[in-house]
Amino acid sequence: MKGVVCILVLSISSVCRANSLSDIQIEKWHESQSSLLSAEKEASGEKLLMRVELSVARNTGVIWVVDRTVIGTNEKEFNTSSQKLKTSILYIIEVSTEVESLKLISFSQENVDTWYHLDLKADDSKRYFNIGTCHSLIANINSTAAAASFRCSSELDSRNSWYQEMALITKSSRNEGTNWVNISDNNFTPDINVSLERDKTAKGTVNFSKRFLMIQNSFLFLDSFLTIDLNSIVKTIQYRNTRDISLIKKDGEFVVERVPHSLKPVDGEITTIQCETFGRNPPPIRVERNGMAILDADDVFILSINTNLRTSSSVTFLHNTKEMEGNYTCVLGDEGKDMVPLYVFELKPRVPRDLMQKSILQNEKTNCGRRIKGQDYSLFNSRN
């Protein structure tokens, strides 16, 4: 079926002892499922052509994210394609010069992802890379501490531009999905102490108070990130590993994420609507409109991702039309008995470019110099 991708993937991992973290029991080191070989940028008028060559392990999913829009890698109507080379795959996409953010992401069933952030303002050129892959490890040291580590085939150098971050994922107290909090700066709460080490291996350790663990004992997950700055057509590579470090693991415990939909769908433009769950073995999910399945078509891209920690369903419409209006819901499980409201889709008329620019200039005059105390205020850009 064209336009529909449903991925259940398996990753490659090796088992060994973390010698540099002697207190950790034998755990799995999980290998990143892709590595960067080359990247090329070519501008032509108001279009940008980007080519990224990756070495990709079998059964690994790869997607494009254009601003906040999710697109498959072989969607002709969405201007994406791929070419299988001898030992690699070349991913190609054409985007407008108005696009602000472009990422190519590989992901696996083991919740190990690699994000390639592209620089749309880089000079036209082609660059070759010899970075290899990275292995990641997250493990409980004891009942009150966990450790996260990265080691790469090209050894990390503490003098180079790379950094490790860690974040905690807990259940929202207001039953609105999960809370995701970066704890790398060690100022999150007195109940958490974080230490990070830079060497040939990136190492992070987090210690919890017993009070904190009593509150979060059955729903506590650790996100570990390694970001390597390339300052090239590919600005950064980000390796991500997510693990369940809860003391008490209740199988089937999950939450439905409240994905922010600050959508203002405009006639003829592109839109992605998605729903996600997170937890332990969450059920498969799908997006429906007015209680009906969304049909496959050349100008519709449907993506389903299912792992033991998260499930995701997204629908991307290439051209917004009146027939796409309606109530969108997230349907849980194969039987579809449980539904969560997502979004009421109401199409907005397209505003001619000259009128839009006039409106922006008028707003700029009205708000010139205004700053809201306590907020990072920006008239033209929103914080992700």
Side-chain angles (χ1 to χ4, degrees):
M1 294 192 302
K2 180 174 175 50
V4 178
V5 176
C6 184
I7 301 175
L8 284 171
V9 292
L10 300 174
S11 73
I12 300 172
S13 59
S14 57
V15 179
C16 62
R17 181 175 293 276
N19 295 322
S20 59
L21 301 170
S22 57
D23 291 335
I24 300 178
Q25 298 177 349
I26 294 177
E27 294 285 348
K28 283 185 178 181
W29 285 85
H30 297 274
E31 185 179 11
S32 59
Q33 297 300 283
S34 66
S35 61
L36 176 65
L37 300 178
S38 71
E40 183 177 5
K41 174 181 175 287
E42 181 181 338
S44 178
E46 295 184 354
K47 297 291 183 181
L48 299 176
L49 187 65
M50 309 293 289
R51 301 181 181 93
V52 180
E53 183 184 359
L54 301 180
S55 174
V56 182
R58 291 185 60 188
N59 300 318
T60 298
V62 180
I63 57 172
W64 289 102
V65 179
V66 184
D67 290 334
R68 292 176 180 265
T69 302
V70 180
I71 303 175
T73 56
N74 277 299
E75 299 296 319
K76 182 179 179 181
E77 298 293 328
F78 291 81
N79 296 319
T80 69
S81 62
S82 65
Q83 298 176 11
K84 190 171 183 180
L85 307 179
K86 188 175 181 180
T87 58
S88 61
I89 300 177
L90 183 65
Y91 297 96
I92 305 168
I93 187 170
E94 184 182 74
V95 297
S96 166
T97 53
E98 295 181 358
V99 168
E100 297 180 355
S101 170
L102 179 62
K103 297 181 284 289
L104 186 63
I105 302 174
S106 70
F107 54 92
S108 77
Q109 177 69 19
E110 291 288 347
N111 301 293
V112 177
D113 309 326
T114 307
W115 296 45
Y116 302 92
H117 297 253
L118 279 71
D119 187 355
L120 299 173
K121 299 185 182 302
D123 294 335
D124 287 9
S125 63
K126 183 174 182 178
R127 291 288 307 275
Y128 293 90
F129 303 90
N130 183 24
I131 297 174
T133 60
C134 289
H135 290 73
S136 57
L137 168 72
I138 294 179
N140 291 85
I141 296 177
N142 52 47
S143 60
T144 61
S149 186
F150 288 94
R151 64 182 189 190
C152 301
S153 53
S154 297
E155 284 188 343
L156 296 172
D157 188 331
S158 59
R159 297 168 296 180
N160 292 343
S161 181
W162 61 265
Y163 55 93
Q164 183 184 6
E165 295 177 285
M166 293 192 294
L168 290 180
I169 304 174
T170 60
K171 189 180 296 186
S172 169
S173 59
R174 296 180 294 178
N175 294 321
E176 295 181 351
T178 58
N179 291 323
W180 188 96
V181 181
N182 192 321
I183 58 173
S184 305
D185 62 3
N186 214 16
N187 292 321
F188 173 49
T189 171
D191 292 311
I192 297 175
N193 181 267
V194 177
S195 62
L196 298 170
E197 301 177 40
R198 289 173 56 89
D199 203 343
K200 294 179 180 179
T201 299
K203 294 171 282 189
T205 305
V206 54
N207 290 274
F208 305 100
S209 71
K210 292 183 178 180
R211 172 182 171 274
F212 178 84
L213 291 175
M214 286 181 62
I215 299 172
Q216 307 290 350
N217 61 1
S218 68
F219 202 94
L220 183 62
F221 299 80
L222 183 63
D223 246 355
S224 179
F225 299 84
L226 174 67
T227 302
I228 300 177
D229 291 325
L230 299 183
N231 298 316
S232 179
I233 298 171
V234 179
K235 289 189 293 188
T236 62
I237 300 178
Q238 189 174 70
Y239 303 96
R240 178 184 181 184
N241 186 3
T242 308
R243 288 287 172 267
D244 183 359
I245 60 170
S246 309
L247 294 180
I248 301 173
K249 295 179 172 58
K250 300 176 181 178
D251 189 41
E253 184 177 10
F254 70 93
V255 295
V256 179
E257 296 283 25
R258 294 291 188 252
V259 179
H261 282 113
S262 56
L263 298 179
K264 295 180 180 179
V266 175
D267 186 23
E269 295 190 354
I270 190 170
T271 297
T272 293
I273 295 178
Q274 66 184 105
C275 64
E276 297 178 357
T277 62
F278 185 86
R280 285 181 210 93
N281 300 314
I285 58 178
R286 64 183 181 275
V287 175
E288 289 189 353
R289 179 178 57 231
N290 298 328
M292 303 290 291
I294 297 173
L295 300 179
D296 174 28
D298 287 342
D299 58 354
V300 177
F301 174 67
I302 302 174
L303 174 70
S304 296
I305 300 174
N306 300 280
T307 78
N308 64 330
L309 292 185
R310 59 170 63 90
T311 57
S312 175
S313 176
S314 65
V315 179
T316 299
F317 300 109
L318 178 60
H319 302 293
N320 293 333
T321 62
K322 291 289 290 184
E323 64 184 30
M324 295 172 189
E325 292 185 330
N327 295 308
Y328 285 78
T329 55
C330 184
V331 180
L332 311 180
D334 294 325
E335 297 181 359
K337 294 181 179 180
D338 297 321
M339 292 185 294
V340 177
L342 282 177
Y343 184 71
V344 178
F345 193 105
E346 295 181 354
L347 202 60
K348 308 296 181 184
R350 179 183 290 274
V351 179
R353 183 179 295 272
D354 56 343
L355 292 180
M356 183 180 299
Q357 290 176 341
K358 182 178 180 180
S359 175
I360 290 174
L361 289 173
Q362 183 61 42
N363 285 335
E364 187 175 7
K365 291 179 181 179
T366 303
N367 297 291
C368 182
R370 184 180 66 168
R371 185 173 183 85
I372 300 176
K373 186 177 180 180
Q375 296 184 16
D376 185 6
Y377 180 77
S378 173
L379 181 63
F380 301 105
N381 300 299
S382 60
R383 289 282 184 180
N384 292 330

